[in-house]
Structure formats: C-alpha cells, structure tokens
Amino acid sequence: MILSKPTIQRYLENGSISVRPASGAGSIRPFGIRIHLSDEILRPRSKVIDLGDPAQMDDLYERESIAESPLVLEPGDFVLGATVEAFKVDPHLACKLDGRSTLARLGLMIHCTADTIDNNTGSHRAVVLELKNISSFTMKIPFGYGIGMLTFFRGSEPVDPEDEQSQYDDQLKVTGPNLAFPAPLLGREYLVQS
C-alpha cells in the first residue's frame, strides 16, 4: 500500500518517517515527499571497469561542487547526485524513487534502475540519484532544485534489521558504487542447462 499525504504527515509527526533536514509543508505531495538536488555530484572518469575485479574500483569519479553554479548536463551525460534530504523509516516501510513528469518530458532521468530504497531503518541516508540526460538539450540544474519524489510503501511484515546490508550506512552525500561489498555471483554450474 502506498502512503498518502495524511498518513505521511502522521508518520512524520510520530517518527515512523524521519527526514533531515525536515521537509516543509510544500514538499509533502499527495503520495510522497519532494526531494531536492544536493550541492555535490560525481562525474564518471573515462576508464574500463571490470566488475569481476573490485580492487580496481578506486578513482572512478571526479567530485564537483554545484553550490555556486548549476550542474550542466550535456546530451548523453551521466552523473551521480544525491538528495539534500536524508531519510530514515520504520522497519515496516520501504521507499521508492520517482522522477518528475515535467523533467522526464525534457529528457532527464533521475534513476537508471534502482528505484526501491531499503536498508534505511538503522540510520538516516541520503538517496543517490543516477542522473542521465537523454535529450538533445543542454540542461542546467541548480543546487536545491526539486528533482523528484520519494514515495513510501508498507511491507507485508517488518524487516529484520539483521537482513539489512551495510554498504551504504550513514550515506549523507553522493557516494559511488561500493563494489567491494560481496555481490551475489551465480556459479557456472547453475548456468549450464541439463
């Protein structure tokens, strides 16, 4: 079940949803909370990435500030950003990241694939944004711009804190991929059809 504005407001008041800094009343939408672009981005460096070798994952991105001048996304550009807001929710809730229709109509994607946000019941975490300009426009996006919305869903049962992955605990700014964290790898024996 997706939470609506009255429930979100009630959960903000009782602490089931916690946002730092606190969202203003105008940021609470009928079915979510508006999120805003933080003041730093990570721009990928040009290099070959071997996902089978996490040791070579250092120095993938150049950190840039957009506090004084806007983020410039040329057609085809991809960067990582983060939300100004950091969220923490009760174990029976999960969040989903949604882009804004207005920005989508301009060709701006704010997440490439990972729109479900979990593992944020133990600490506040900013949401990392995967920003991609798929249009022919050059876009300038200022720090603090309302870039998307977080919606909240109630799970069938509360999650066990032991099941939470810790690779992005206390993530309060834009953070690159943690490929050193053990990822599930299917062995060749499972890939061969009998």
Side-chain angles (χ1 to χ4, degrees):
M1 172 178 65
I2 187 171
L3 303 188
S4 59
K5 184 174 182 176
T7 305
I8 292 169
Q9 289 173 318
R10 195 165 54 251
Y11 280 20
L12 285 166
E13 290 167 8
N14 71 21
S16 294
I17 298 172
S18 177
V19 184
R20 292 181 184 164
S23 292
S27 290
I28 303 173
R29 309 295 300 142
F31 287 100
I33 295 177
R34 177 78 68 223
I35 55 173
H36 302 85
L37 182 62
S38 187
D39 62 348
E40 286 188 332
I41 58 114
L42 295 178
R43 195 174 294 273
R45 298 176 194 272
S46 181
K47 65 186 295 184
V48 175
I49 297 174
D50 178 359
L51 294 177
D53 181 12
Q56 55 90 51
M57 293 299 157
D58 293 335
D59 206 31
L60 292 179
Y61 296 89
E62 180 80 32
R63 188 172 296 273
E64 295 177 15
S65 173
I66 61 167
E68 301 299 325
S69 58
L71 164 62
V72 176
L73 281 181
E74 299 290 346
D77 276 358
F78 169 81
V79 299
L80 295 180
T83 58
V84 169
E85 301 84 0
F87 294 85
K88 179 180 171 187
V89 297
D90 277 357
H92 67 281
L93 296 176
C95 313
K96 282 190 104 41
L97 177 61
D98 283 319
R100 290 182 55 199
S101 173
T102 300
L103 298 180
R105 294 174 197 204
L106 292 172
L108 180 66
M109 297 169 43
I110 70 158
H111 63 83
C112 293
T113 177
D115 66 342
T116 299
I117 298 148
D118 56 4
N119 300 319
N120 65 332
T121 62
S123 64
H124 284 82
R125 284 193 357 209
V127 178
V128 169
L129 308 168
E130 301 137 1
L131 301 163
K132 173 79 173 174
N133 180 358
I134 61 169
S135 77
S136 300
F137 306 117
T138 295
M139 295 188 198
K140 294 183 176 181
I141 310 167
F143 159 54
Y145 192 79
I147 197 120
M149 184 172 71
L150 214 57
T151 56
F152 301 88
F153 292 81
R154 185 188 312 274
S156 59
E157 294 180 43
V159 295
D160 184 341
E162 295 295 318
D163 289 338
E164 287 196 7
Q165 294 181 346
S166 60
Q167 77 261 40
Y168 300 117
D169 279 354
D170 301 314
Q171 171 180 276
L172 297 177
K173 61 182 182 178
V174 61
T175 306
N178 181 354
L179 295 170
F181 194 82
L185 186 62
L186 192 59
R188 286 187 68 82
E189 65 274 13
Y190 295 106
L191 299 176
V192 178
Q193 301 253 340
S194 55

